Structures are given as C-alpha cells and as structure tokens.
Amino acid sequence: MIRHLLFIFALATSALAQQDTVLQPYAGPSNPGVDTQTLTHKVMCGYQGWFNCEGDGANLGWVHWGRGRKDPMGPGKVTIDLWPDVSEYDADELYATDFKNADGSPAQVFSSHHRETVLRHFEWMREYGIEGAFVQRFANGLKRDDQRHHKNVVLSHAREGANLNGRAYAVMYDLSGLPAGGVATVWTDWRMLRDEMHITEDAAYLHHEGNPVVSVWGVGFGDDRAYTLAECKELITQLKADGCTVMLGVPTGWRTNERDAIKDPELKDVLALADILSPWTIGRYRTPAQATKHGEKVWASDVEWCQEREIDFLPVVYPGFSWHNLTGEPINPIPRLKGEFLWSQVLAAKRANAEMIYVAMFDEVDEGTAIFKCTNEPPVAEGATFLTYEGLPADFYLKLTGNAGKLLRGEIPVTREMPAGSH
C-alpha cells in the first residue's frame, strides 16, 4: 500500500515538474526575422496543434485523428480528410495507425505534443516566407489538467519554434463550447501566461500598435452559444486594461447583424472596443467568383467601417473545405481548384484594401483546410476516402501562402495568375 502511494506521489511530482518547466519564461536563443512589432503587411496562419497519439507523453490517447482515444485511427473511425505528408519527419515523431500504405506498411501520423514536430512546422513557415501563427487555445479544455498541460506544451514549443526561426506568434483563444459564465476562464488563463511564462516578453511574440496581441475568437455568433455578449465585453475590457491589443474573431455578418451574427443591436458597440476585427469566412463562399464578390460587397465595406473607427481589419482566407470523414457529408464540397480558390481570396482581400491576412489553417486536416505538407498518396481502405493536393507538390500551399504575403506587400503584381514560383 505504501509503495503504491509512493508511486502515485512520484507520478504526480513528475507531472508537476514537467508542468513547471513548460511554464517557465523562454530562455533560449531568438534569431532575427520578421518584424514582430506589427501585424501590418503580414500573412499569419492559424495553428491548431491539437493532434495527439498514444505514447506521445500527453496521456490523452488518440485525439483529432479519429473516433475514440484508446485505439489508433483506422477504417471506420477516421475523422480527417487530408493525410499529412510525413516523409520529412524523424522516426521518433511518427505513430502507426491501423491504415496501410500501398506497399503494405503502416500509415503514420504525427503528434502536436512532440517538440521536434512543432519546431519543424515553424521551420517550414520560415522556409516559405510565412510570417507566423496564431496558436489556438480552446478555452473549453482549460479546466482539465491534462488538456491544459497539452495546450501549454504546444504553446511552449510554438514559442521556441517562432524564436528559433524568426517568426511571430500570438495566442488565440477560441470560445466555442464554453458554458454560460465560462468566458472568465480566459482571463484567468491569460494572466497565468503573462505572470508565469512571461509570454508577451518574448522577442517573437506578436505586438501591434505598441502592445502584445491577444485574440479572442467566437464573439457575436448567432449559433445559440451559451456564453453571452456581456461576458465577452467584460473580457475585452479586462484585456484592454491589461495593455493588450485585442483581436476578435467575429461572424461574417457582424456589421449588418445578418447571416451568422446574433441579432443584438449592441454587437457593433462591443466590437468597436476591439483593435482588430477578423470575420470568419469558412464556408461563406464556395467558388472564386463568390470570393471575388464577397471582397467587393462585404470586405470593402467592412474595411471602411473599421477605418472610420481606427480599427484594423484582418480578413480570413482558406484553401478549400471538406469534413466528409468527420461528419459523413459529401467529400470536397468546396474544392481547392489547384490553388485558384485560395488565390482568388487573397486578391479579393488586397483589392478591398486589407493590410493583413489570416490563413485558416496551417495544420487543419480534420476539415480539409490545411496548407502544410499533405500527401497525394493517402492510405487506401474500404470505408475511408481522402482528399489529395490534386497532384500538386506537397509544399504547394506553403509556397502560395508565402506569395500571398508578397502580394499583400506589393512585391509582386496583383493578377489572377498565381505566381510561377508557387508550383
């Protein structure tokens, strides 16, 4: 009995020591690169970092690869539509699934808990000229110690990756799934990140208009969320008083109280408290022609509204969309068209006078929006269908996103033709 209790105590002590290490201020090298003091003229990506595998050290099992955490994902329980290209990963970064490659070998995936994997992703950002990432931090998982620890580990690795590769990073809280009264969790967590990790003191942490950027996604959506607009207003006020530049992820119809926005007349008054507004556009248009029209009819007016109030505007663009294996809906409802769809949105944002762009997402294979390296030769199995990059090189969307930054900054002409260097 005593031996058993000592074993449990040792495990708890080890976990706490690991947690303390993760939460320490960054003391490693910081290499020069992008200007982290402004978001202007930058293309940033969302970084989910939510993939886990059994044996990765997080003790969460299999997360975001398939259904069920106990067994590896395989036919009948997979939830991703794109398969990552893992040819450049080291052997100790990879985890076998129940899928098989064409040669009969086990198909493998990565874990976001692995330091080398996250560093590799930020190295790709540097290699392809992508300025950095908003590291996602889902607030509904902050109350569980194991989930919070994983988020801290990923954030710590992203911090190191950004510093080593001269990239910018910032925290983005996602409010999705929070209960009534749950928004207060974000403020508590943010103060922990500032007080313990000293996160905003990093050379790589993104600042804008003189203050560290913190993003809160999910303000004003009309999909029956349990938390309230009043809670969001209180959080925005707290973050502003804490000396932050506050970026809000908002619905597409925020300015007119239409479509995906709540029909609350106070919405625009709350959003006017922000420093940066970023409307969510995934699924709001589905073709290059619709994206062009959205830029002309919606984004241009959004920019004008923001400029009148000295608020910056950060449009969201995405390469395509599919969540067939996750939801059972038809595969590839918003096709990529070999990059044409993404490029049409970049052009629309530029023509709407946007000065910054957010690409969703870097690593989101669940919903088929990833821009990092994915394979054209996914596993083949009965009951599972995967997308590919339509025969394009695995790094095509990384190159195209890097070129989006060049277009935004006026380094290449504004034309419908994608830059030759993207292929």
Side-chain angles (χ1 to χ4, degrees):
M1 179 67 178
I2 294 176
R3 181 179 298 175
H4 179 67
L5 290 173
L6 288 174
F7 176 70
I8 294 176
F9 177 76
L11 286 178
T13 302
S14 176
L16 287 173
Q18 186 180 23
Q19 182 82 342
D20 290 342
T21 300
V22 170
L23 293 176
Q24 289 178 353
Y26 181 70
S30 185
N31 295 316
V34 302
D35 179 6
T36 60
Q37 297 305 303
T38 181
L39 186 54
T40 302
H41 295 156
K42 284 186 173 56
V43 172
M44 301 281 286
C45 296
Y47 190 79
Q48 297 283 34
W50 58 11
F51 299 101
N52 288 107
C53 303
E54 183 64 37
D56 64 4
N59 297 317
L60 292 172
W62 291 82
V63 178
H64 274 282
W65 293 115
R67 295 177 180 84
R69 298 191 176 190
K70 294 182 179 180
D71 301 316
M73 72 163 171
K77 53 185 177 182
V78 62
T79 56
I80 63 170
D81 276 22
L82 284 168
W83 197 281
D85 182 337
V86 296
S87 60
E88 297 179 28
Y89 296 68
D90 294 335
D92 64 350
E93 297 177 66
L94 298 177
Y95 301 83
T97 72
D98 285 344
F99 283 103
K100 301 294 183 182
N101 294 313
D103 63 2
S105 62
Q108 298 174 307
V109 292
F110 65 85
S111 168
S112 306
H113 200 77
H114 201 292
R115 172 177 173 270
E116 292 302 320
T117 297
V118 178
L119 296 190
R120 184 184 310 281
H121 291 164
F122 274 82
E123 183 179 348
W124 286 348
M125 294 179 204
R126 174 182 57 78
E127 181 180 353
Y128 293 98
I130 300 169
E131 278 78 16
F134 288 103
V135 182
Q136 309 298 296
R137 199 165 172 87
F138 284 79
N140 66 346
L142 291 173
K143 288 190 177 297
R144 275 187 52 175
D145 290 344
D146 53 355
Q147 292 183 4
R148 184 176 65 252
H149 177 62
H150 171 68
K151 298 177 195 302
N152 291 342
V153 167
V154 173
L155 181 58
S156 176
H157 295 337
R159 173 180 62 178
E160 183 179 5
N163 275 284
L164 291 177
N165 291 284
R167 301 299 94 186
Y169 78 105
V171 172
M172 176 178 281
Y173 288 100
D174 191 318
L175 306 182
S176 300
L178 283 179
V183 176
T185 305
V186 172
W187 171 246
T188 301
D189 184 76
W190 175 249
R191 283 310 318 173
M192 181 275 293
L193 295 182
R194 294 201 75 171
D195 293 343
E196 297 190 37
M197 292 184 76
H198 294 215
I199 194 167
T200 59
E201 297 173 23
D202 286 349
Y205 196 86
L206 180 66
H207 285 59
H208 187 68
E209 300 294 342
N211 294 311
V213 175
V214 59
S215 179
V216 179
W217 192 95
V219 180
F221 284 82
D223 51 359
D224 298 320
R225 298 182 175 226
Y227 60 88
T228 66
L229 186 61
E231 291 179 62
C232 296
K233 181 179 181 180
E234 181 179 3
L235 175 61
I236 296 166
T237 303
Q238 289 173 316
L239 293 171
K240 294 276 288 184
D242 197 40
C244 297
T245 291
V246 178
M247 170 184 151
L248 299 181
V250 301
T252 294
W254 64 273
R255 183 173 41 80
T256 56
N257 287 107
E258 297 175 330
R259 299 183 67 175
D260 51 355
I262 56 174
K263 307 303 185 284
D264 190 326
E266 294 186 14
L267 176 59
K268 288 194 290 295
D269 291 336
V270 173
L271 300 189
L273 299 173
D275 301 291
I276 305 166
L277 291 182
S278 183
W280 190 245
T281 49
I282 312 305
R284 276 53 172 184
Y285 44 75
R286 294 170 173 258
T287 67
Q290 291 173 358
T292 300
K293 183 177 179 180
H294 188 87
E296 295 170 349
K297 302 296 184 182
V298 180
W299 280 347
S301 297
D302 286 349
V303 169
E304 290 178 5
W305 190 94
C306 289
Q307 287 178 340
E308 290 172 358
R309 292 157 181 81
E310 297 185 344
I311 297 172
D312 286 302
F313 182 74
L314 179 65
V316 177
V317 303
Y318 66 109
F321 180 87
S322 181
W323 57 4
H324 167 72
N325 290 316
L326 181 65
T327 67
E329 295 188 14
I331 195 164
N332 205 25
I334 306 179
R336 294 182 172 230
L337 305 175
K338 294 193 172 184
E340 182 183 350
F341 182 58
L342 177 59
W343 192 247
S344 70
Q345 297 167 75
V346 173
L347 291 175
K350 175 68 173 178
R351 288 168 174 159
N353 295 318
E355 294 187 313
M356 51 191 70
I357 293 175
Y358 175 31
V359 177
M361 294 274 184
F362 186 86
D363 56 342
E364 170 68 281
V365 290
D366 314 52
E367 299 178 2
T369 64
I371 64 158
F372 73 165
K373 298 181 184 183
C374 290
T375 184
N376 287 306
E377 298 179 353
V380 178
E382 184 176 349
T385 304
F386 298 102
L387 294 177
T388 69
Y389 274 179
E390 304 172 289
L392 294 169
D395 63 355
F396 173 83
Y397 286 96
L398 292 170
K399 289 182 178 178
L400 191 62
T401 302
N403 279 319
K406 293 179 180 178
L407 181 107
L408 185 68
R409 294 186 293 273
E411 298 170 9
I412 58 177
V414 181
T415 62
R416 286 187 57 188
E417 291 74 27
M418 287 177 283
S422 297
H423 291 82

